[in-house]
Amino acid sequence: MNLAYRDIRHNLGRFLLTCFGLSLLLGVVLSMIGIYRGLVEDALTLVRTPAVDVWVVESGTRGPFAESSRIPGDTREAIARLQGVSAAGSVTYQSAETRHGSEKLRLYVVGYEPGRPGGPDRIAGGRPIGRSHYEMVADKRTGLSTGSRVELGRDTFTVVGLTDDQVSSGGDPVIYITLKDSQQLQFELAPPAARREIARGSSPGDTDTINAVIARVSPNVSPESVAEAARRWKHLAAMSQAEQERILTRSVVERARKQIGLFTALLLIVSAVIIALILYTMTMDKLREIATLKLIGAPDRTIVGLILQQALAMGTIGFGFGALLITSIKDYFPRRVVLLPEDGLALAAAVILVCVLSSALGVRLALKVDPATALGG
Amino acid sequence: MSNPDSETPLVQVRNVSKHFGDGDTRVDALRDVSLEVHPGEVVALLGPSGSGKTTLLNVIGCILEPSTGWLSLDGEVVYDGRWLRSDLRKLRLEKVGFIFQFHNLLPFLDSTDNVAVVLSLAGFGKDESKRRAIELLDYLEVGHRKNAMPANLSGGEAQRVAIARALANRPRIILADEPTAALDSERAGIVMDLLRKVAVEQEAAILAVTHDEKIFDRFDRIFHLRDGRLDDQNT
Ligand SMILES: Nc1ncnc2c1ncn2[C@@H]1O[C@H](COP(=O)(O)OP(=O)(O)O)[C@@H](O)[C@H]1O
Ligand SMILES: [Mg+2]
């Protein structure tokens, strides 16, 4: 006869309520981890989408995401001619704001040259950009659909294609337009004073600037050698894909990462303390029964089993509920929540460990109980 | 009635003393107590509150270690200055049944399982445990409450289920601490009759603490405890 199960069944409502409370707590822990993963994932989306090996930016900067970078538009041709480069593309990145219906819409605008690296990697609906002007591919998170028309700067763009999960590190949905359009937009969105200067022609050719050149290298060519070659131009800096990703996770999302990491750690500690307290009080409530069991001759194994099994049942059910809860609501979060199986498993293992450790507290208490207390009136 | 002198006593207590604390806080709960209880005997332990009755019962039930003395249960010496067995709980499971003042049933098990749990601890299979538990409940005339939870039992029913549990593994020594205190005199009489029946049919020794004057006449002998000492004029 399984005493743990029978006791739970006797107090089923209370037990389930406790499990439910625990599941909310563990759900919050899971979603924090998911938000953290989502943040990192989001930040890396833009860097990973073009699937390139080398990033060439303005010298002295760690652009184009962590710092602003402006380089001449003809850089791409120079990079494309370097030994080992198989493809190169110019890209621009800028934030813009527009309206869609009555909603204000913040966008992250990527300009690229169709046919070269830098565009969306997967079109989830519609088609890629086909004309050189006024077409855009927008992420579904913009709320736009194919055929929508959107004002950007002084021009009206038509949405021809959609992407999934393309957001900037700040969480703004991404749209793709052609490089030419983006340069025009960059000019139109520049402060009036700068715009006047450029129009007056005091810095000729300035409208043909880009933020970075991205390049793929041929197999068997090390990206570092291409970066090395690019750095020989004094006005350029270059880094490998891995470096770019590191910069992004380190600098752009670092603080948010630490914040969430710390918060998650705190939540884990709070959960551990709460689980320990629950298990301790669960044992406290049963001391008389435990004394009775000892009196009628139950071995320690039976008593430890009773407490441990209940602890594990609570941990498992609490975690299960929590995971289920978060999986079913994660898509309603404003930012991406990425639930990795390994994170779930790690948390599950942590919960089990905490349950076992904290039931040790209860077990210690239970084993010390004097069977004579069952006799006492 | 069996003849006490012709058989080995089931309970032998010799010169047992037990004190709690030391120095100023020292309480001598038992002083040089010796007694014997034979198979088939139903004896009472009487005395004012604080005289050491519960302490004596706990020592005999191997729940409490004496300070000095010698103790033998069912012909086996279990204490001689120290416990001679390491598995006292197993010893209890095999030889001793407890009946509490308050019934102390496990609240999460129904009547049948409260009895069956002892049997399953003693190694009986699930079905066998249940069968014997129900048999015992019938024997104690609470068979009709076999599926009731303790919270739904009356005081008398609960006490009888508790007695069934104490008897489940057929212990030959039954220790009862004020088994009838919570019952009216009619129910108290029924419980005493039952204990008598068990003593006779199972050749068990029954030692019951009581204050209950209305049942004094149901005991074979009465031990009087006063300040931890047994009075000489035990009847
Ligand atoms: N665990 C204990 N610690 C200290 N003193 C105790 C303990 N148990 C009993 N006593 C003391 O021993 C004496 C006898 O107690 P007890 O055997 O419970 O008496 P009774 O059951 O006859 O009322 C009392 O003075 C009581 O206060
Ligand atoms: Mg007492």
Side-chain angles (χ1 to χ4, degrees):
Chain A
M1 141 179 8
N2 186 316
L3 296 176
Y5 167 70
R6 300 295 290 271
D7 183 37
I8 285 175
R9 213 180 58 177
H10 184 243
N11 283 312
L12 192 61
R14 189 178 137 184
F15 181 78
L16 287 183
L17 210 62
T18 310
C19 285
F20 180 68
L22 184 62
S23 72
L24 289 182
L25 190 66
L26 293 178
V28 171
V29 175
L30 257 183
S31 60
M32 275 331 274
I33 299 174
I35 287 168
Y36 163 75
R37 290 287 185 199
L39 202 74
V40 175
E41 195 106 320
D42 279 354
L44 292 177
T45 313
L46 274 176
V47 193
R48 286 183 175 163
T49 299
V52 293
D53 305 303
V54 180
W55 292 72
V56 179
V57 295
E58 183 178 345
S59 98
T61 74
R62 297 187 308 148
F65 304 105
E67 293 175 309
S68 77
S69 148
R70 291 176 82 81
I71 54 178
D74 57 9
T75 309
R76 196 252 304 148
E77 284 135 51
I79 298 297
R81 277 195 298 272
L82 288 177
Q83 181 80 35
V85 172
S86 62
S90 303
V91 280
T92 64
Y93 297 100
Q94 59 192 314
S95 289
E97 218 171 67
T98 179
R99 310 195 70 82
H100 173 50
S102 57
E103 297 275 319
K104 207 162 78 174
L105 191 58
R106 270 194 68 78
L107 300 170
Y108 194 75
V109 183
V110 178
Y112 76 106
E113 304 168 279
R116 298 191 199 281
D121 55 347
R122 245 173 348 97
I123 299 291
R127 59 170 176 82
I129 290 176
R131 295 193 310 187
S132 51
H133 282 297
Y134 312 131
E135 285 189 349
M136 70 158 73
V137 167
D139 190 78
K140 283 179 182 164
R141 295 194 179 210
T142 55
L144 301 169
S145 42
T146 49
S148 299
R149 297 171 71 76
V150 182
E151 301 244 338
L152 273 182
R154 275 190 244 121
D155 304 309
T156 303
F157 287 74
T158 306
V159 177
V160 298
L162 296 171
T163 60
D164 273 323
D165 291 332
Q166 292 276 312
V167 293
S168 72
S169 62
D172 297 328
V174 167
I175 63 160
Y176 290 90
I177 58 180
T178 63
L179 186 71
K180 286 268 174 290
D181 286 344
S182 80
Q183 286 174 323
Q184 176 66 23
L185 185 65
Q186 223 158 29
F187 169 68
E188 283 166 11
L189 295 182
R195 219 159 50 209
R196 270 198 302 279
E197 286 233 328
I198 296 167
R200 219 185 289 137
S202 60
S203 39
D206 251 6
T207 50
D208 189 20
T209 59
I210 54 176
N211 301 122
V213 168
I214 49 183
R216 292 189 194 126
V217 301
S218 319
N220 309 325
V221 174
S222 93
E224 187 43 42
S225 70
V226 173
E228 191 67 57
R231 276 183 215 120
R232 262 180 243 132
W233 282 288
K234 286 281 176 289
H235 64 294
L236 297 182
M239 65 198 96
S240 68
Q241 174 72 15
E243 277 174 283
Q244 181 64 264
E245 289 186 13
R246 211 172 313 128
I247 287 171
L248 219 70
T249 41
R250 287 281 155 75
S251 62
V252 180
V253 293
E254 182 63 2
R255 212 168 294 157
R257 208 172 72 103
K258 274 189 183 154
Q259 178 100 340
I260 292 180
L262 192 67
F263 192 64
T264 309
L266 282 177
L267 268 178
L268 274 173
I269 293 171
V270 169
S271 312
V273 170
I274 288 179
I275 291 176
L277 279 177
I278 291 174
L279 292 177
Y280 195 72
T281 33
M282 258 165 78
T283 313
M284 287 287 272
D285 288 347
K286 271 199 288 290
L287 284 188
R288 200 176 167 86
E289 284 85 339
I290 289 169
T292 305
L293 281 169
K294 285 187 175 181
L295 199 68
I296 61 177
D300 285 346
R301 160 167 50 82
T302 305
I303 290 154
V304 173
L306 171 69
I307 296 171
L308 203 61
Q309 284 169 31
Q310 292 193 346
L312 292 179
M314 197 182 71
T316 314
I317 295 175
F319 178 82
F321 270 3
L324 207 69
L325 195 72
I326 293 311
T327 323
S328 52
I329 64 167
K330 74 180 167 79
D331 291 333
Y332 300 101
F333 277 68
R335 288 203 59 176
R336 191 133 61 112
V337 177
V338 177
L339 297 176
L340 300 179
E342 58 259 42
D343 288 342
L345 284 179
L347 183 62
V351 169
I352 297 297
L353 189 73
V354 167
C355 282
V356 171
L357 287 183
S358 26
S359 57
L361 223 71
V363 164
R364 221 174 71 104
L365 183 74
L367 293 185
K368 275 201 307 207
V369 170
D370 186 349
T373 54
L375 284 174
Chain B
M1 181 68 8
S2 58
N3 178 357
D5 294 328
S6 68
E7 299 167 63
T8 330
L10 278 174
V11 178
Q12 284 178 281
V13 178
R14 284 191 202 154
N15 310 106
V16 163
S17 296
K18 172 69 187 177
H19 64 85
F20 296 101
D22 262 312
D24 287 348
T25 61
R26 177 172 167 130
V27 177
D28 284 290
L30 294 177
R31 303 169 204 247
D32 200 26
V33 171
S34 299
L35 61 79
E36 294 185 348
V37 190
H38 298 262
E41 269 195 311
V42 180
V43 304
L45 203 51
L46 215 64
S49 179
S51 58
K53 304 182 297 292
T54 299
T55 305
L56 180 55
L57 226 49
N58 289 354
V59 166
I60 295 172
C62 304
I63 296 175
L64 201 59
E65 179 167 4
S67 304
T68 58
W70 183 92
L71 172 67
S72 159
L73 299 179
D74 199 8
E76 177 182 349
V77 181
V78 293
Y79 187 87
D80 185 9
R82 63 184 176 90
W83 293 118
L84 300 178
R85 280 182 63 158
S86 55
D87 52 346
L88 291 172
R89 264 183 246 171
K90 186 143 176 284
L91 177 86
R92 276 206 291 279
L93 188 60
E94 288 163 1
K95 299 194 170 170
V96 186
F98 277 96
I99 300 167
F100 313 101
Q101 175 173 2
F102 302 101
H103 56 75
N104 283 48
L105 295 175
L106 295 169
F108 49 87
L109 299 180
D110 64 17
S111 302
T112 307
D113 285 338
N114 256 292
V115 179
V117 70
V118 175
L119 292 163
S120 74
L121 284 172
F124 289 92
K126 191 178 162 197
D127 295 338
E128 174 74 357
S129 300
K130 284 227 188 233
R131 196 182 57 72
R132 289 184 59 164
I134 291 169
E135 232 173 66
L136 261 170
L137 291 174
D138 284 336
Y139 176 67
L140 291 168
E141 293 160 19
V142 275
H144 60 294
R145 303 294 276 150
K146 65 178 190 230
N147 295 323
M149 298 305 278
N152 302 326
L153 295 173
S154 73
E157 287 167 344
Q159 190 62 298
R160 276 179 285 163
V161 174
I163 294 172
R165 179 178 67 186
L167 304 180
N169 201 31
R170 296 185 184 277
R172 295 198 63 204
I173 299 160
I174 291 164
L175 305 174
D177 200 349
E178 312 208 19
T180 59
L183 306 179
D184 61 41
S185 61
E186 190 189 340
R187 306 249 176 258
I190 295 173
V191 166
M192 288 315 297
D193 288 343
L194 279 169
L195 290 179
R196 165 72 61 196
K197 194 164 136 189
V198 170
V200 172
E201 291 179 6
Q202 297 186 14
E203 299 237 293
I206 295 179
L207 186 57
V209 167
T210 187
H211 278 118
D212 203 348
E213 299 192 17
K214 53 188 185 282
I215 57 170
F216 285 170
D217 57 342
R218 299 190 178 249
F219 292 99
D220 300 324
R221 285 189 291 150
I222 296 180
F223 291 105
H224 291 271
L225 260 180
R226 199 175 305 278
D227 285 337
R229 233 181 267 283
L230 274 186
D231 279 359
D232 296 331
Q233 65 336 331
N234 291 319
T235 49

